[in-house]
Amino acid sequence: MIYNRSIILLLLFGLCIFKAFGQKKDPENQKPNIIVILTDDQGWADVGFNGGTDIPTPNLDRIAAEGVIFSNGYVSHPYCSPSRAGLLTGRYQARFGHDCNMPYTGENDASIGTPLSEKMISEALKEQGYRTSAIGKWHVGDHPDLHPTNQGFDHWFGFAGGGMNYWGIPQGPLQTILRNGKPVPENELSYLTDDFTNEAIQFITKKEDQPFFIYLAYNAPHAPDQATENYLKETKHIEYGGRSVYGAMVNAVDNGVGKIDSTLIANNLKKNTLLIYLSDNGGRSQHADNKPFRGYKGMIYEGGIKVPFFMTYPKEILKNQHYDHMISALDIFPTVLDASGANVSKEKQLDGVNLLPYVKGTTNKPPHEALFWRSVGGFEYAARIGDYKLYHRANEKNLMLFNIKNDPYERNNIANDNSVIVQELELAYEEWNAKNIPHGWEDPHAENVLKEQNQLNAIRTKALPLKKN
Ligand code: CA
């Protein structure tokens, strides 16, 4: 009798252990893992899934097709630093004066950058029990007080500044690869894009029970143009040398994202992982391809702010979707926060919108009535409402108006024939801008941008008319 009871108790105990073990290890019953992959200065047409044909991006194309591709996915600024400030806080960066790149003196000045008083995605997800990692380029606060480990990230591997050579050779405090604040010896680094991928894989495969959030900000394909042989052989068909190297840098990202995807599959994590991929601004003027859009990084033409952008979440979002209403990088914060089970309506500071009901088809309404941009010291700005976009170039007296649906290249300025619409958009911009504060420091690009615009205008003015025969 005693013998029998012992066996039953033992069996029950075993069952409890099995159940507890089973629940703990079932990744589908947990909160979703979240990965935001941000590339740097990658152009609209520098991925196959947007119609690019010369740079091979087979992994990105395959993974993008497993979720939703955004055909009107915008970032909130055409330069690196402010765009990241908007993404990480879910707020227009002009709300806290971070609407231009930072001067290089920032490493000694904790007032330059996104202030600690702003809540970042990492901090909101930590409240939801996530372990958090920032990998790659930071560029929203050069001063050590503003580094990722002070902004809600448990783990950080990367560099603080805006650019870095791909071999990890230290070149000052902003261009040194750090792991949780300590310099990483050069002999532990290979090719930075691969190093960032490997660090992300290590973080994913840590045997811990908490869900994870990874902000993986590759500096590729930002300058300098540096690539390894294995990636260069993938773009040897590109005859223009600059683009061939640039393409190899993009291919390295594609390879990395493919490896991360394989890791998720191998660890049975893919179904319950929400992955978002985008570029921080439009493709740079050299070597990138923003076709069919006008302009490039630094401009508020579509080529400077419309980026490759997709989201996958196999457990919740159907594959093979294209979403055409305009969305913003500001939407990432509320979207991932909602997926984590948090009550997004409590985060009243957010300017973004939770995209999940929209991509799941719960509602057909557009997520945004309007989007706004403010750049170059605040005297360059744009507003898009519906199909219309108002754009004020820094050195131009006159406002431009485009119908983005009919004229996606922004070739035909229709401001003169639509004064009422111009007025309406200008008023909407002023109302939006009234809630912003002035930029917190001098814009290091303003002078060059104006110089470039004025040089081009001078050439256009002096150009000779065609001689008549
Ligand atoms: Ca950038």
Side-chain angles (χ1 to χ4, degrees):
M1 191 71 183
I2 289 169
Y3 174 73
N4 278 348
R5 195 187 286 165
S6 299
I7 286 186
I8 288 166
L9 281 173
L10 200 68
L11 279 172
L12 279 173
F13 180 70
L15 192 69
C16 287
I17 293 279
F18 178 77
K19 273 195 86 175
F21 185 77
Q23 275 174 357
K24 226 178 192 179
K25 291 292 168 187
D26 183 359
E28 279 190 34
N29 291 331
Q30 286 193 350
K31 292 184 178 209
N33 298 301
I34 292 157
I35 305 176
V36 174
I37 300 176
L38 187 69
T39 56
D40 200 350
D41 297 3
Q42 184 179 10
W44 170 265
D46 295 330
V47 286
F49 66 80
N50 277 348
T53 51
D54 57 347
I55 300 174
T57 55
N59 293 295
L60 291 171
D61 302 346
R62 173 180 53 80
I63 299 164
E66 292 170 354
V68 52
I69 297 170
F70 297 105
S71 48
N72 270 290
Y74 289 103
V75 286
S76 58
H77 201 281
Y79 279 112
C80 311
S81 177
S83 170
R84 286 151 201 263
L87 188 163
L88 286 163
T89 59
R91 276 155 63 72
Y92 284 113
Q93 54 285 339
R95 304 287 195 226
F96 47 96
H98 195 152
D99 55 330
C100 54
N101 265 346
M102 298 175 297
Y104 296 108
T105 51
E107 62 188 280
N108 303 315
D109 187 347
S111 72
I112 296 177
T114 298
L116 295 176
S117 53
E118 290 295 322
K119 188 173 188 174
M120 290 197 173
I121 299 177
S122 40
E123 294 167 294
L125 289 176
K126 269 186 84 67
E127 289 171 8
Q128 297 303 313
Y130 279 70
R131 59 189 181 97
T132 55
S133 170
I135 296 168
K137 164 167 156 175
W138 183 235
H139 207 204
V140 288
D142 295 340
H143 191 276
D145 288 358
L146 302 178
H147 285 182
T149 38
N150 294 315
Q151 293 276 32
F153 288 99
D154 302 321
H155 166 262
W156 176 38
F157 176 75
F159 60 96
M164 174 90 204
N165 69 83
Y166 285 81
W167 319 122
I169 301 163
Q171 290 171 324
L174 300 181
Q175 295 183 51
T176 296
I177 299 296
L178 305 172
R179 186 181 279 112
N180 299 324
K182 288 187 186 132
V184 178
E186 264 179 77
N187 62 10
E188 288 180 24
L189 300 165
S190 56
Y191 180 58
L192 221 45
T193 303
D194 296 341
D195 297 329
F196 293 153
T197 299
N198 293 337
E199 191 81 6
I201 289 172
Q202 273 184 27
F203 195 78
I204 291 167
T205 52
K206 270 187 183 171
K207 302 290 179 212
E208 289 184 30
D209 293 332
Q210 290 164 283
F212 61 78
F213 165 55
I214 300 176
Y215 169 64
L216 172 55
Y218 288 112
N219 57 316
H222 191 285
D225 297 328
Q226 294 168 340
T228 52
E229 278 179 7
N230 53 329
Y231 300 121
L232 283 167
K233 75 173 166 30
E234 299 296 329
T235 56
K236 64 183 180 199
H237 55 278
I238 300 174
E239 291 299 335
Y240 165 46
R243 181 148 175 93
S244 192
V245 180
Y246 172 91
M249 293 156 76
V250 172
N251 183 258
V253 170
D254 180 79
N255 182 278
V257 179
K259 281 183 177 163
I260 288 167
D261 186 58
S262 304
T263 306
L264 295 174
I265 294 168
N267 290 277
N268 196 24
L269 295 170
K270 176 152 174 170
K271 204 171 172 194
N272 198 22
T273 295
L274 194 172
L275 184 146
I276 295 172
Y277 178 96
L278 75 162
S279 173
D280 70 334
N281 47 248
R284 52 190 167 112
S285 57
Q286 277 191 315
H287 316 322
D289 184 356
N290 296 309
K291 282 197 287 294
F293 302 121
R294 181 174 180 175
Y296 45 84
K297 171 184 180 175
M299 297 175 161
I300 319 182
Y301 287 118
E302 298 289 276
I305 51 174
K306 196 178 270 185
V307 294
F309 203 146
F310 72 78
M311 171 160 71
T312 65
Y313 185 10
K315 192 179 165 188
E316 296 283 335
I317 299 175
L318 293 176
K319 60 184 178 180
N320 291 321
Q321 292 194 69
H322 276 86
Y323 191 79
D324 293 329
H325 286 304
M326 63 179 177
I327 61 125
S328 166
L330 304 179
D331 302 334
I332 292 173
F333 192 139
T335 301
V336 304
L337 200 58
D338 182 68
S340 80
N343 182 355
V344 179
S345 64
K346 282 186 181 166
E347 304 291 335
K348 297 200 187 309
Q349 80 282 10
L350 296 176
D351 288 312
V353 172
N354 168 21
L355 294 175
L356 290 177
Y358 298 93
V359 298
K360 285 181 176 180
T362 316
T363 171
N364 292 324
K365 285 185 197 162
H368 295 273
E369 290 291 317
L371 287 176
F372 303 96
W373 293 266
R374 191 179 89 172
S375 180
V376 193
F379 45 86
E380 174 139 348
Y381 59 87
R384 182 172 169 185
I385 299 180
D387 293 333
Y388 290 104
K389 180 168 152 193
L390 185 82
Y391 184 7
H392 181 253
R393 286 285 274 158
N395 68 341
E396 300 277 350
K397 277 188 200 141
N398 299 326
L399 291 160
M400 295 182 286
L401 182 74
F402 302 104
N403 182 315
I404 297 297
K405 195 175 178 187
N406 301 338
D407 176 25
Y409 189 77
E410 300 168 281
R411 200 183 287 266
N412 305 308
N413 176 8
I414 53 172
N416 286 343
D417 300 328
N418 295 279
S419 56
V420 174
I421 298 171
V422 169
Q423 212 173 7
E424 192 188 319
L425 266 73
E426 178 78 343
L427 196 67
Y429 175 79
E430 280 167 17
E431 274 176 23
W432 171 80
N433 197 34
K435 294 181 207 150
N436 295 330
I437 62 170
H439 53 289
W441 48 86
E442 205 171 320
D443 186 341
H445 293 303
E447 202 179 318
N448 281 344
V449 168
L450 282 175
K451 211 163 114 187
E452 208 175 282
Q453 286 185 24
N454 288 335
Q455 275 171 352
L456 184 58
N457 279 351
I459 291 167
R460 282 172 175 156
T461 313
K462 284 181 194 162
L464 296 171
L466 195 67
K467 277 185 185 167
K468 285 177 187 166
N469 289 326

